[in-house]
Amino acid sequence: MGEPEHVWVVGTTAHVVRAVQQAVDSGRRVTVRSGGHGFEDFVADPAVEVVIDTSAMTAVSYDPGRRAFAVEAGALLGDVYRRLYLGWGVTIPAGWCPTVGIGGHVLGGGYGPLSRLMGLSVDHLYAVEVVVVDREGRARSVVATREPSDPHRDLWWAHTGGGGGSFGIVTRYWFRSPGAHGDDPSGLLPAPPAGVLSFSVTWDWQKLGKSSFARLVRNHGEWAERHSAPDSRYLGLYSELALTRRPSGTVLMIGQVAADSGVQRLLDDHLTAINQGVAVQPVRTVKNQAWLAAALAGSPGDPGPVYRLKVKSGYLRRGLTDRQIEVLHHHLTRSDYDHPGGSLSLYTYGGKVNTVAADATATPHRDTVMKMFYVNGWENPQDDARHLTWLRELYRDLYADTGGVPAPADGTFINYPDNDLADPAWNTGAPWHTLYFGDNYPRLQRIKAKWDPRNVFRHTLSVRAA
């Protein structure tokens, strides 16, 4: 549990520079938070003495000088969606949870229900403002853009998937889609569809035998393999298959179909393919919504407000193997563990995400069809060891062939950080930095050495200088 000596609630970039300078001058460990979400102890680390809180920096505006939309680091995704859409009829493809702060979300790549259709958040990132510390210990702010002529372009690139807490403190982002021309703001970012069809589908766990469970998981993987090409007619369909523990009562799939027409047919086709050969008929709930209403409502599967969490991640370039499905079924139905909170969710991915080269941004995973989100949640700190062990064993056994972690070619997602990947007790496979950053890591190391030579900004999974 962190107990910082000081929390700065900052309102401007100048405030951030001042706070960082005081921390450096006094030799105190400093970190930053924006929306307050965090799956590991990067902010709550007991070693952290100063926290810079950007949650008061929430402005969203159009910057005519840069022909881009400026978004301060403390803005929540819901506010970003609302202001961009109501002001100019545009959006960025980002997370489903409207209470996530954009400050950390974009740094890991940023994705959500529109990403198959529009790409990642960083695919539309034009510039970033960062407070950095030079070799002499002087804090200053730098604006770095994606322009090839920008001498600071490497700092922009590092913030397109290099994760937070490694290079400096972001105070502002600017967004403009590549190739967007003119001075009309409404043409500089994508326009979301007018409406979406939101859906929730459940299967009764008690009726779902082992063979039907395997068929369901296999069908979902095969669908993702078939329909994640950049020209798929299903790019507007996003789904999350939550493979929950049997005590929870149901296996759940939630999602959205974002299209101007034919949404019901797309969903019907999807569910027919997913349920082919499954002996249990699912229960379906659908709702037609205006896009903004759906974006502000968020995911119906978000956990409650008071919980302890551990998460893990992985990417898939093809569906789970039969052996992995067998392992998954075992851990979800184990009789020696009765907690209902654990799950593995399979998120559809790919599409326009995979049209960007692996080294064009710091996000290397550009050939995937699914993203995996492993999670366990509970309330009592005294139960930590039991619930952590269940999730760790599931992950280890699923990847038994590759050292207890995904294969390097598949990788993991830095915005679902997992300190276990840096622990040899749980990872005897690929190094953590290879899993998160792939072949982009050496370049990130060089940028780290240049822009944070004193290693002011660090945590367990931060980039290490070469």
Side-chain angles (χ1 to χ4, degrees):
M1 181 66 68
E3 295 183 356
E5 297 176 13
H6 193 86
V7 177
W8 285 78
V9 180
V10 292
T12 67
T13 300
H15 290 165
V16 178
V17 172
R18 178 184 169 196
V20 170
Q21 190 67 67
Q22 289 195 10
V24 171
D25 290 346
S26 62
R28 287 178 168 81
R29 176 85 174 268
V30 63
T31 194
V32 61
R33 69 182 177 201
S34 56
H37 284 61
F39 292 131
E40 286 291 0
D41 61 351
F42 301 162
V43 175
D45 186 338
V48 168
E49 296 160 299
V50 177
V51 174
I52 297 177
D53 188 324
T54 66
S55 61
M57 299 179 66
T58 62
V60 178
S61 61
Y62 178 65
D63 180 346
R66 290 193 170 90
R67 295 176 43 250
F69 295 92
V71 180
E72 289 187 330
L76 302 183
L77 293 183
D79 291 333
V80 176
Y81 297 148
R82 180 174 56 83
R83 293 174 186 176
L84 288 178
Y85 185 68
L86 294 180
W88 301 276
V90 299
T91 193
I92 56 172
W96 203 348
C97 178
T99 59
V100 165
I102 199 168
H105 180 73
V106 172
L107 299 179
Y111 90 102
L114 294 179
S115 287
R116 281 165 51 85
L117 195 62
M118 300 177 181
L120 300 178
S121 303
V122 295
D123 298 339
H124 303 269
L125 181 64
Y126 174 73
V128 61
E129 181 180 62
V130 193
V131 174
V132 297
V133 178
D134 64 19
R135 194 172 300 278
E136 286 70 43
R138 181 173 63 95
R140 62 191 175 102
S141 63
V142 176
V143 174
T145 75
R146 67 172 180 235
E147 296 292 346
S149 60
D150 188 342
H152 302 149
R153 189 179 189 276
D154 59 345
L155 188 62
W156 164 83
W157 184 88
H159 288 85
T160 61
S166 284
F167 309 98
I169 294 179
V170 174
T171 53
R172 185 178 287 104
Y173 298 101
W174 285 267
F175 294 95
R176 187 211 315 153
S177 299
H181 300 291
D183 296 322
D184 181 358
S186 65
L188 299 179
L189 280 176
V196 300
L197 181 68
S198 300
F199 62 87
S200 174
V201 184
T202 59
W203 289 263
D204 187 335
W205 240 125
Q206 301 308 315
K207 298 177 181 178
L208 199 64
K210 187 175 182 179
S211 61
S212 284
F213 174 87
R215 187 66 184 269
L216 178 66
V217 177
R218 194 177 301 115
N219 287 346
H220 187 269
E222 291 173 351
W223 187 93
E225 291 177 29
R226 290 195 305 271
H227 299 295
S228 294
D231 59 351
S232 170
R233 71 186 184 97
Y234 290 95
L235 291 190
L237 195 155
Y238 172 78
S239 68
E240 300 180 358
L241 178 62
L243 302 168
T244 54
R245 295 211 70 247
R246 179 176 281 170
S248 71
T250 57
V251 168
L252 171 70
M253 184 167 72
I254 57 176
Q256 290 181 0
V257 187
D260 293 322
S261 63
V263 290
Q264 189 65 58
R265 176 63 182 273
L266 291 173
L267 177 58
D268 289 344
D269 291 349
H270 181 56
L271 294 183
T272 297
I274 296 298
N275 215 54
Q276 185 70 37
V278 178
V280 179
Q281 285 302 309
V283 176
R284 178 195 319 190
T285 303
V286 299
K287 179 189 292 187
N288 280 294
Q289 296 177 284
W291 172 80
L292 183 59
L296 297 181
S299 163
D302 283 343
V306 181
Y307 49 85
R308 299 172 70 79
L309 283 178
K310 174 66 178 179
V311 307
K312 294 176 176 289
S313 70
Y315 288 98
L316 286 170
R317 292 175 296 151
R318 58 192 61 84
L320 294 171
T321 66
D322 290 346
R323 185 198 70 79
Q324 289 176 316
I325 295 173
E326 175 88 17
V327 167
L328 183 56
H329 184 269
H330 163 70
H331 283 285
L332 295 179
T333 61
R334 281 170 51 179
S335 59
D336 62 337
Y337 181 73
D338 60 0
H339 183 62
S343 66
L344 165 59
S345 292
L346 302 171
Y347 300 169
T348 56
Y349 205 68
K352 292 300 175 63
V353 173
N354 292 351
T355 62
V356 177
D359 61 354
T361 66
T363 304
H365 310 104
R366 299 291 189 161
D367 60 352
T368 58
V369 301
M370 282 190 287
K371 184 195 293 283
M372 295 191 288
F373 178 62
Y374 303 76
V375 63
N376 205 0
W378 62 97
E379 295 183 358
N380 192 337
Q382 295 178 350
D383 294 331
D384 285 1
R386 183 166 72 99
H387 300 308
L388 286 169
T389 297
W390 176 84
L391 189 63
R392 286 166 169 164
E393 289 178 348
L394 164 62
Y395 198 76
R396 177 200 64 195
D397 294 352
L398 207 70
Y399 299 115
D401 298 335
T402 49
V405 298
D410 293 327
T412 53
F413 180 42
I414 189 60
N415 271 4
Y416 299 156
D418 176 15
N419 287 345
D420 291 346
L421 295 183
D423 185 347
W426 293 103
N427 179 5
T428 60
W432 64 267
H433 50 79
T434 299
L435 293 169
Y436 285 126
F437 307 117
D439 293 340
N440 287 335
Y441 189 61
R443 184 176 176 185
L444 288 168
Q445 289 184 289
R446 294 191 294 271
I447 298 170
K448 170 73 170 180
K450 175 181 175 181
W451 288 100
D452 186 23
R454 298 166 64 103
N455 198 28
V456 171
F457 306 102
R458 63 191 186 274
H459 51 75
T460 304
L461 300 177
S462 58
V463 174
R464 273 69 157 164

